[in-house]
Amino acid sequence: MAKKAQADYNTPIQHLANVTTTGPTSFTGTVERVIFNRGLFFIVAVSVEDANFEWDTDKITVTGQLGEVNEGDQYEFDGRVVDNPCYGLQFNSNGCHAVLPHTAKTLTRFLRGRHLPLNHVATAARQIFDHFGKEAVNHLLEQPTDLAEIKTMDAADQQILIKLFKQLSFGSSTSQIIQRLKGLGFSERFVNLIFDQYGTRALQILDDNPYQYAVDLQEWGLTFLMVDQIAQESLGIAGDDARRIQGALLCLADDLTNQQGALMCKFPNYYNRLSNV
């Protein structure tokens, strides 16, 4: 039986001799507490539920570029166990993805973790799996309005859940997003900026219109020329593609606006005279 982890996450825990660092591995667990977060980087306390390595406590500290994690949600973490010189054994993750609730019990826990104003949480979860079967959550992610088929569900709960499933995203995992962006040539700084801007929609935006990156993030240094090189060389965007032309015009307009603003700050009297002409 796993021993309880101590609450002070800054104090190293004495582990059994067979619990040590690992190569690439993974585990499934529920995020109990976000200890630190800046951009993509997180430090979280996770309850260990199913691990592919030896572990002797009920919790583990996970660090790394995780993107978006919510307390109370279950995730599969990829990475390795490392020995931090200050904090002892931790799991250094290169990404994670949310685990879909697959039973009424796990869906109940998932919904409670989101603190929704539901009147009958457990009843609603049971009704969902009774009606849609074991693929209930997958079904509702694609067709959230099908919840209306459950005539016995509390009407207020039904509307809250329809709204929730419309907003949920269990698409590309953070590690997939990071790996693809880095593979295209984006630096770690720009990967962080892109994820901060779009979250798990980052790859959808990239595939729909990569020039949106430049339009939205030009002021942070991600220029049209940088995105254009990736778009043409790696994504097969043609030189006369409408998205490319529109992106160039929008970025140019933004550049001109910023230049005019700088000149107005430097020569305010000149622009005041122009405005009176």
Side-chain angles (χ1 to χ4, degrees):
M1 181 176 178
K3 56 188 176 184
K4 279 197 170 183
Q6 53 204 78
D8 183 1
Y9 300 101
N10 295 321
T11 303
I13 298 170
Q14 294 298 317
H15 292 279
L16 299 175
N18 63 331
V19 177
T20 183
T21 58
T22 71
T25 186
S26 65
F27 82 97
T28 300
T30 298
V31 174
E32 294 204 349
R33 178 183 166 194
V34 175
I35 301 169
F36 176 83
N37 166 228
R38 177 175 292 171
L40 282 172
F41 183 79
F42 276 77
I43 301 175
V44 293
V46 182
S47 63
V48 179
E49 291 158 13
D50 185 19
N52 295 321
F53 53 90
E54 291 292 334
W55 194 251
D56 59 348
T57 66
D58 60 352
K59 294 183 181 63
I60 189 169
T61 299
V62 178
T63 69
Q65 291 185 313
L66 304 181
E68 293 180 349
V69 294
N70 299 302
E71 292 181 352
D73 285 2
Q74 187 183 45
Y75 299 87
E76 182 175 1
F77 296 88
D78 300 313
R80 62 184 70 218
V81 178
V82 299
D83 193 359
N84 184 288
C86 295
Y87 306 116
L89 293 177
Q90 299 180 332
F91 193 86
N92 186 2
S93 178
N94 55 22
C96 66
H97 64 269
V99 176
L100 289 174
H102 55 280
T103 65
K105 184 178 179 180
T106 55
L107 179 58
T108 299
R109 183 173 59 190
F110 175 83
L111 295 174
R112 283 180 173 152
R114 283 182 136 67
H115 306 293
L116 298 167
L118 295 166
N119 297 318
H120 310 286
V121 183
T123 300
R126 187 177 65 253
Q127 289 172 322
I128 286 171
F129 276 91
D130 286 347
H131 187 84
F132 295 107
K134 62 181 182 179
E135 295 298 318
V137 174
N138 272 323
H139 180 94
L140 291 175
L141 287 171
E142 295 179 5
Q143 300 289 340
T145 55
D146 282 0
L147 270 172
E149 295 176 5
I150 307 177
K151 304 301 182 183
T152 56
M153 182 177 286
D154 180 275
D157 287 355
Q158 195 171 75
Q159 292 307 307
I160 291 170
L161 291 171
I162 288 173
K163 183 178 179 180
L164 171 68
F165 281 107
K166 284 181 177 179
Q167 295 172 342
L168 283 177
S169 173
F170 288 94
S172 300
S173 72
T174 303
S175 59
Q176 290 174 319
I177 295 170
I178 292 170
Q179 288 168 13
R180 185 172 176 199
L181 292 176
K182 286 185 175 179
L184 288 170
F186 289 105
S187 68
E188 186 168 322
R189 174 174 176 268
F190 287 136
V191 170
N192 277 278
L193 286 170
I194 291 167
F195 203 99
D196 285 347
Q197 180 75 18
Y198 306 114
T200 53
R201 295 172 54 245
L203 297 186
Q204 178 189 334
I205 299 294
L206 178 72
D207 292 332
D208 288 347
N209 182 6
Y211 296 99
Q212 192 65 46
Y213 283 8
V215 173
D216 293 337
L217 299 171
Q218 184 171 227
E219 65 177 303
W220 301 103
L222 186 57
T223 67
F224 174 84
L225 291 177
M226 293 177 185
V227 175
D228 188 44
Q229 182 178 357
I230 291 171
Q232 291 198 73
E233 294 180 1
S234 301
L235 302 176
I237 302 293
D240 60 351
D241 191 291
R243 294 169 295 178
R244 181 173 186 258
I245 296 169
Q246 183 186 50
L249 291 173
L250 289 172
C251 288
L252 179 60
D254 189 54
D255 270 343
L256 292 173
T257 300
N258 290 335
Q259 290 173 20
Q260 185 181 38
L263 287 171
M264 289 180 69
C265 291
K266 192 171 184 179
F267 306 108
N269 293 333
Y270 173 73
Y271 275 89
N272 285 338
R273 288 198 299 273
L274 280 180
S275 64
N276 292 325
V277 173

